[in-house]
Amino acid sequence: MFNIRVDCRNAVKYAQLSGDTRLEAACYIHLANALCFGIPVSPGREAFLPKALALFQRAVELSQNGGTHFLRSKSLAEYGLALAAAGNEYEANRYRDQAFEIYFGGRSVKNRPILRAISAQGY
């Protein structure tokens, strides 16, 4: 039977064994998304947020050391979305702004895209 959380956990283990920090960061993002956003909105969803936040934070740490600009911006944007889901709007905006700066290289853009769309593009 297909279980996204189990598959993501296994992917994290294999990524750790490979020693590829970019792959590990991407796997942490997917696992955190499976925990945080892969659950239908229900009263029990909040129980998964602390673990998902820790996984997103680990992905941010790994992606900052040698990750592509897109992986760095994706990890920051996803962490920001999780922080917003947890009700921490100040920190969420800070991380989303960092993601925007990395992704667009500090250029001024008149109509800022929704960072969720950036996050959905992949790495």
Side-chain angles (χ1 to χ4, degrees):
M1 174 117 191
F2 179 73
N3 186 328
I4 188 85
R5 291 187 199 118
V6 171
D7 292 340
C8 288
R9 284 188 189 102
N10 288 338
V12 167
K13 289 177 189 174
Y14 289 125
Q16 289 170 335
L17 289 173
S18 77
D20 185 344
T21 56
R22 292 176 296 183
L23 179 60
E24 191 177 346
C27 291
Y28 277 123
I29 290 168
H30 287 293
L31 176 56
N33 273 321
L35 290 174
C36 191
F37 302 115
I39 303 164
V41 176
S42 66
R45 178 179 155 184
E46 291 79 22
F48 292 97
L49 281 174
K51 178 66 174 172
L53 286 170
L55 293 170
F56 279 126
Q57 188 173 27
R58 181 69 179 138
V60 167
E61 292 167 3
L62 289 169
S63 68
Q64 300 307 308
N65 299 321
T68 64
H69 82 283
F70 195 84
L71 180 60
R72 291 192 325 264
S73 65
K74 179 173 177 57
S75 63
L76 290 165
E78 294 284 352
Y79 188 40
L81 289 169
L83 286 167
N88 190 342
E89 283 297 323
Y90 176 78
E91 287 295 309
N93 287 332
R94 190 169 70 87
Y95 280 97
R96 289 183 288 206
D97 286 346
Q98 287 178 25
F100 182 84
E101 290 297 319
I102 290 170
Y103 188 78
F104 290 103
R107 292 176 298 189
S108 176
V109 178
K110 288 182 182 179
N111 297 320
R112 282 179 86 162
I114 299 171
L115 287 177
R116 186 68 180 164
I118 294 170
S119 299
Q121 291 177 5
Y123 337 125

